[in-house]
Amino acid sequence: MRALARGGGFRIRPPSGYDRSRARRLCSRGVASGFAERLVWGKPNLPTKRSTLLASVCLVPLFFAGTAEARRGVAAAGHSSATQSARSGGVIESIQVTGNDRIETSTVLSYMVVQPGDPFNQDELDRSLKTLYATGLFRDVTLHRAGNVLQVRLAENPIVNRIVFEGNHAAKDEDLRKVISLRPRAVFSTQITAADRQKILEVYAGKARYAATVTPQIIRLAHNRVDVVFLINEAQQTLIHKISFVGNKAFSEARLAQVISSKETAWYRFFASSDEYNPERIRYDSELLRRFYLRNGFVDFQVRNQTGELSPDRKSFYVTFTVDEGPRYRLGKVNIRSSLKHVSAASMRKYIELFANQWYDGSAVQHNATDMQEILQGQGYPFAMVRPEIARNPERHVVDLLFDVSEGPRAYVERIDINGNTITQDAVIRRQLPMSEGDPYTPTERKYAKAILQDLGFFSTVSVDQTTGSAPDRTNVAINVVEKPTGEFSLGGGYSTDVGILGNIGLKQHNLLGSGVDAGISGTMAYYQRQADISVSDPYFLNRNLVAGVDLFVIENNYQTYQNYSEGRYGITLRMGYAYTNRLSQSWSYTLTDRHVDNAYNDASWYILDQTGWSLLSQLSTTLTYDTRDNRMQPHSGYVVRLGGDFAGLGGNERYVRGKVDLGYYIPMDDLTGNHDWTLALTAGAGEIANWGGGRSDIIDNFYLGGNTLRGFLDGGAGPRSMGIPAYTWNGQSYAMHSQEDFIGGRFLYTASATLNFPMPFGADMGIRGRYFVDMGGLDGLRVSRRYTSYPQDMPRYTPVYGDTLTPRVSTGVGFAWKSPFGLINIDLGIPVLKQKHDRTQLFRFGFGQQF
């Protein structure tokens, strides 16, 4: 007997002349049983050569019988398609592959474990079978032995011809194609199809359609191709029916419902998605609750559990937040500890914005620490760190606060890498960064770098990552960006009480050729106004912190609704601006404008008739701005101061100097209301214009009061106005005087306003914000080419003027702004409280516009 080991297997071959039938008879009579026992169990009386031969005669058939049984067991446990297994024993002389139409035979052989020259080992054959199935290329595989030839019979999976979605409306085809793995011209697989079905269900779960069903259908075509059709029943959205809070004592359920972003379904939320159940949003709501309680002094607050239970009919969710409020803490002692050289604790006390005995506010504490840290870094301590530390006193319900001022680890920028900018030039990104190679690197610099790049509007995502450089105090900074389209084509329309029905069209590019240059052309057509504008702005002119731009404009205003003339302007404006600090900036502009006043009615006043004709304005303007607001579009806190001046007379035929100051102060009402959406805005302004050098004194350059500057009054409806005079006879001659009044503006203007912005009930989800306002203003100073106010010296052109007084006009009212799907809608209802005789009022003011 020979024992041969090959390829990890074991094979026993009978000697030549071996008679199987005789061996069976001998073994059945037990002739070799004793020898077999000694052979197998290793008894001390070792077998002789003859006894060994007899044992082999009996054991070999038993061995082959056992291995056959094993093979049958493995085959039974294997794939059902392996209908006939290849027996063990012998060497594979060749492998024949059949049934493969698309896949090369060499490719099939490369997937198999066994190769020609290997033994017929059942384990290796089973592994080959599983490997072929694992490729996903075949729906059926059969291994068959014919002598020493291994036959591999294959049935290939079909090719996907196309993928079709039917019944989907809430999810677009292209969105579903992004999540599935099946692709046209790829190999079809039932396993992949089942996985894709689950992915589609997950898409609908993200849209709060948990009752949706997806049924794949396979349509077989010629040439072993299939169409895969996903039949989708989207079902109704599974919305949040009820939100409950358990364990809350300090705040009602209604108050906590205002804090979280998820909302109960209601009829007016047809444009919102906040009533759709989303597990990620529920977790975010838990964090919102934690922040809210921490702002209100509940230092030990915890959300024990947040659950969303699906109703049995799968049509609604019931969300429950289980909270543990704990006691409410007040702020105790507030101290500072400084280990920073040349910075004493006493010198930092003036920057503490908190006071003892107030309710502890974790958000205010962190903001105060951040402000102090940024102040120190701006004073020449780039690695300064301010960490707030608290010590609870549960018995007294007091939290002692300590600001620890120390120096953090030193780190310097070794290298800045910019990745992902396929359009925007590297220089455009680098010039925005607050640091460069060799500068100190701090978390504040990292935060500002990310914020500045996001504010550019050129990128959909921005991340600032860091890695250790060549030394422990060296840092490599990686700026990773993802570009987004910066071109804009807009069409719009709407209605305004100022210009009537309007439409506009515009084409802009905010990052021209990746240079950061902003360029655009726009036009507006309204019932009372036509306007066209071409503008170009370079935010980094001459590679300096200098904004430069140019505007070409054409404006035609038809004031026939409340003025008795039309006005046209054609000109160019050159602009330049720069920033001294993050808060202080200045801008300059030069404007050259060709102007004309025409289409004056015959019954217009002499003040209007004197203005008709052509004039040329050459004006130099500047504005100095100091701005600390947290948001320039919707400020919640901070203030802004603007000082502006205009000087006309650098050529042209206008001669005047005009100055104006505007103030704005925004007070957050969070502490009183517990809601971030309440803001009190206090604004004021004043301006004056004075002639010099015998200018024309055109009324189109005067100040006007009303409209946006004084709600409740018509544009220009408060201030100097000419009086309408009927026809009369003078010295025996009849004169047809003007019968209508004209707004002629004034020299000196002042305004003041207090506006309380507040969230509308049930309006937050719809983008509606309300406001209550009180406006005040006054305007006086007759500024015209010639006065006609003396009677009878100015006859027959005598035209008296009324409304020329600084006596305040006051109005109050309410309004709201709605960011609707159709555009921004502003509505104000203003009621005059104090007004002068003949003031023109406007109770209702409406504005609507949309760009798409």
Side-chain angles (χ1 to χ4, degrees):
M1 182 183 70
R2 291 180 299 168
L4 302 177
R6 178 181 176 87
F10 188 80
R11 181 170 71 249
I12 299 178
R13 292 183 179 177
S16 59
Y18 172 71
D19 189 338
R20 294 178 183 270
S21 61
R22 184 170 180 272
R24 292 195 189 98
R25 292 196 299 273
L26 288 173
C27 291
S28 64
R29 293 197 294 266
V31 173
S33 60
F35 301 109
E37 180 180 272
R38 286 193 295 272
L39 176 64
V40 174
W41 298 109
K43 297 296 183 178
N45 48 343
L46 296 175
T48 63
K49 185 174 182 180
R50 179 180 176 82
S51 63
T52 302
L53 179 59
L54 291 174
S56 301
V57 171
C58 295
L59 290 179
V60 167
L62 295 177
F63 176 82
F64 285 129
T67 54
E69 290 296 329
R71 285 198 305 273
R72 284 192 292 271
V74 171
H79 198 278
S80 60
S81 64
T83 57
Q84 185 173 356
S85 301
R87 296 179 178 178
S88 297
V91 177
I92 302 174
E93 294 182 356
S94 64
I95 301 177
Q96 294 180 354
V97 181
T98 59
N100 54 322
D101 296 327
R102 300 187 311 271
I103 304 167
E104 297 291 337
T105 299
S106 58
T107 303
V108 176
L109 294 177
S110 67
Y111 291 133
M112 298 181 64
V113 177
V114 296
Q115 298 295 324
D118 290 343
F120 279 96
N121 183 282
Q122 188 60 45
D123 291 338
E124 301 300 317
L125 294 173
D126 289 341
R127 289 176 56 194
S128 296
L129 181 71
K130 294 176 181 178
T131 303
L132 290 173
Y133 270 114
T135 62
L137 300 174
F138 313 105
R139 69 171 184 270
D140 193 16
V141 179
T142 301
L143 301 182
H144 179 76
R145 177 176 180 177
N148 290 329
V149 177
L150 178 63
Q151 296 178 343
V152 182
R153 300 171 183 172
L154 304 173
E156 294 179 337
N157 273 326
I159 294 295
V160 177
N161 179 53
R162 61 174 182 157
I163 302 171
V164 180
F165 303 96
E166 293 186 359
N168 57 308
H169 303 285
K172 297 180 180 179
D173 285 7
E174 52 267 28
D175 296 332
L176 296 178
R177 294 184 194 279
K178 292 178 182 178
V179 301
I180 65 174
S181 300
L182 279 178
R183 293 290 183 268
R185 296 181 298 278
V187 177
F188 170 79
S189 169
T190 55
Q191 293 85 353
I192 296 177
T193 304
D196 286 346
R197 172 185 173 274
Q198 187 60 38
K199 292 176 182 178
I200 296 174
L201 288 174
E202 291 173 0
V203 170
Y204 279 97
K207 297 179 178 296
R209 296 179 182 269
Y210 290 87
T213 60
V214 178
T215 305
Q217 287 190 351
I218 312 303
I219 302 176
R220 299 196 176 275
L221 306 173
H223 307 294
N224 201 21
R225 296 176 302 134
V226 295
D227 284 346
V228 182
V229 180
F230 290 99
L231 296 179
I232 302 173
N233 180 8
E234 296 183 329
Q236 294 295 321
Q237 283 189 310
T238 312
L239 304 178
I240 300 175
H241 181 73
K242 179 66 177 176
I243 299 177
S244 302
F245 299 89
V246 178
N248 55 305
K249 299 176 183 178
F251 300 98
S252 65
E253 286 199 357
R255 180 67 189 93
L256 296 181
Q258 296 176 352
V259 174
I260 62 176
S261 61
S262 298
K263 304 297 179 184
E264 296 178 358
T265 184
W267 64 269
Y268 51 82
R269 290 199 172 97
F270 47 87
F271 288 128
S273 61
S274 57
D275 55 354
E276 299 176 2
Y277 177 78
N278 189 319
E280 293 296 329
R281 178 182 288 161
I282 298 300
R283 285 189 285 272
Y284 174 64
D285 289 339
S286 297
E287 177 62 18
L288 292 179
L289 288 172
R290 189 191 68 82
R291 295 179 185 177
F292 170 74
Y293 271 93
L294 192 59
R295 286 199 308 267
N296 289 277
F298 293 88
V299 181
D300 301 326
F301 172 81
Q302 289 182 327
V303 177
R304 295 294 184 184
N305 193 20
Q306 66 271 346
T307 60
E309 298 180 2
L310 185 62
S311 63
D313 59 4
R314 303 180 67 86
K315 293 183 178 180
S316 58
F317 267 96
Y318 294 83
V319 178
T320 303
F321 294 93
T322 303
V323 302
D324 182 3
E325 294 180 333
R328 193 177 188 186
Y329 289 80
R330 290 187 180 273
L331 191 60
K333 299 178 182 178
V334 181
N335 293 317
I336 295 179
R337 179 178 63 205
S338 176
S339 59
L340 195 64
K341 290 182 179 180
H342 309 299
V343 176
S344 63
S347 65
M348 296 297 297
R349 281 198 166 275
K350 59 185 177 182
Y351 300 120
I352 295 179
E353 303 167 358
L354 308 169
F355 55 88
N357 207 39
Q358 74 175 85
W359 291 116
Y360 178 81
D361 186 343
S363 178
V365 169
Q366 187 58 53
H367 288 162
N368 198 173
T370 302
D371 291 343
M372 294 169 65
Q373 180 171 298
E374 292 179 359
I375 290 172
L376 287 172
Q377 292 175 356
Q379 292 177 349
Y381 303 93
F383 303 109
M385 298 187 69
V386 179
R387 300 183 182 91
E389 299 178 1
I390 63 172
R392 296 181 180 86
N393 188 331
E395 291 76 17
R396 297 175 51 211
H397 295 167
V398 170
V399 172
D400 292 331
L401 176 62
L402 173 67
F403 289 107
D404 181 28
V405 182
S406 61
E407 186 174 44
R410 291 176 176 266
Y412 298 90
V413 179
E414 182 175 22
R415 189 178 73 250
I416 298 177
D417 298 322
I418 300 175
N419 307 310
N421 54 319
T422 57
I423 299 175
T424 306
Q425 301 170 13
D426 277 12
V428 174
I429 299 176
R430 287 183 179 274
R431 71 193 185 193
Q432 300 294 329
L433 299 178
M435 71 283 191
S436 59
E437 283 83 354
D439 288 348
Y441 183 71
T442 65
T444 301
E445 301 289 339
R446 179 181 181 180
K447 181 183 72 173
Y448 282 155
K450 182 177 180 179
I452 291 171
L453 294 179
Q454 287 177 332
D455 289 343
L456 285 176
F458 300 164
F459 313 111
S460 58
T461 60
V462 176
S463 66
V464 181
D465 302 323
Q466 62 187 59
T467 57
T468 303
S470 59
D473 63 344
R474 295 292 184 267
T475 299
N476 295 326
V477 180
I479 309 296
N480 302 307
V481 299
V482 177
E483 301 269 11
K484 71 176 184 180
T486 56
E488 176 184 326
F489 175 72
S490 62
L491 290 173
Y495 175 81
S496 170
T497 50
D498 295 335
V499 298
I501 299 174
L502 62 89
N504 56 57
I505 183 172
L507 180 63
K508 291 184 178 181
Q509 175 53 257
H510 302 290
N511 187 16
L512 186 64
L513 301 177
S515 64
V517 172
D518 191 307
I521 180 171
S522 63
T524 299
M525 178 69 70
Y527 190 79
Y528 302 119
Q529 184 186 75
R530 292 186 296 273
Q531 178 176 341
D533 181 85
I534 300 175
S535 65
V536 178
S537 297
D538 186 350
Y540 223 76
F541 186 60
L542 298 178
N543 290 324
R544 298 179 179 272
N545 183 23
L546 186 66
V547 179
V550 59
D551 296 304
L552 299 173
F553 57 87
V554 176
I555 302 174
E556 291 282 350
N557 289 320
N558 184 359
Y559 297 120
Q560 302 297 335
T561 53
Y562 54 89
Q563 294 281 60
N564 292 312
Y565 65 92
S566 298
E567 175 193 354
R569 304 187 184 203
Y570 315 89
I572 182 174
T573 298
L574 303 177
R575 297 175 281 105
M576 181 181 67
Y578 46 85
Y580 297 103
T581 66
N582 290 335
R583 296 179 174 178
L584 181 62
S585 61
Q586 187 172 13
S587 63
W588 294 84
S589 66
Y590 172 75
T591 301
L592 183 65
T593 309
D594 181 290
R595 311 182 302 178
H596 63 85
V597 175
D598 52 20
N599 294 329
Y601 286 0
N602 292 330
D603 58 353
S605 69
W606 288 107
Y607 303 114
I608 300 298
L609 296 176
D610 286 346
Q611 303 292 307
T612 56
W614 169 87
S615 64
L616 181 65
L617 172 66
S618 176
Q619 175 179 287
L620 180 66
S621 304
T622 184
T623 302
L624 186 67
T625 304
Y626 189 79
D627 193 347
T628 68
R629 295 174 298 174
D630 59 343
N631 187 305
R632 298 188 178 185
M633 298 301 295
Q634 290 185 345
H636 183 62
S637 62
Y639 63 90
V640 58
V641 179
R642 293 189 184 91
L643 299 175
D646 303 318
F647 178 81
L650 301 175
N653 49 13
E654 298 289 350
R655 303 284 189 274
Y656 63 80
V657 177
R658 181 168 53 198
K660 199 166 189 307
V661 57
D662 291 294
L663 309 172
Y665 187 63
Y666 300 87
I667 305 173
M669 309 297 290
D670 301 24
D671 294 337
L672 295 178
T673 64
N675 193 324
H676 190 72
D677 293 332
W678 290 76
T679 306
L680 178 61
L682 304 175
T683 59
E688 186 171 10
I689 184 172
N691 295 335
W692 72 277
R696 285 172 50 92
S697 297
D698 286 334
I699 64 172
I700 57 178
D701 298 315
N702 290 347
F703 290 110
Y704 288 85
L705 181 63
N708 289 327
T709 58
L710 186 64
R711 287 164 287 193
F713 291 81
L714 189 66
D715 293 87
R721 296 176 306 285
S722 64
M723 183 181 297
I725 298 178
Y728 70 100
T729 301
W730 173 256
N731 289 335
Q733 187 174 355
S734 296
Y735 294 91
M737 298 298 293
H738 65 280
S739 59
Q740 296 184 10
E741 64 180 21
D742 291 306
F743 304 152
I744 55 180
R747 291 179 178 271
F748 181 76
L749 167 75
Y750 73 90
T751 60
S753 177
T755 303
L756 179 64
N757 296 297
F758 55 86
M760 294 286 289
F762 314 113
D765 298 331
M766 301 177 63
I768 301 178
R769 290 174 55 87
R771 55 179 172 262
Y772 170 73
F773 61 85
V774 177
D775 291 348
M776 181 184 69
L779 176 67
D780 81 338
L782 189 61
R783 180 179 179 272
V784 291
S785 298
R786 180 180 175 183
R787 292 173 178 262
Y788 300 103
T789 56
S790 297
Y791 181 83
Q793 288 86 350
D794 294 326
M795 294 300 289
R797 296 189 176 188
Y798 168 69
T799 306
V801 173
Y802 52 84
D804 183 13
T805 174
L806 287 179
T807 302
R809 281 83 160 176
V810 180
S811 66
T812 185
V814 295
F816 72 84
W818 180 21
K819 291 183 179 179
S820 74
F822 315 106
L824 180 62
I825 298 176
N826 274 294
I827 296 179
D828 285 302
L829 179 65
I831 302 175
V833 177
L834 293 177
K835 64 177 184 175
Q836 299 298 307
K837 186 178 180 181
H838 301 298
D839 279 349
R840 298 281 294 277
T841 62
Q842 184 182 48
L843 181 66
F844 182 74
R845 191 171 185 83
F846 172 82
F848 162 73
Q850 168 67 49
Q851 290 192 343
F852 50 88

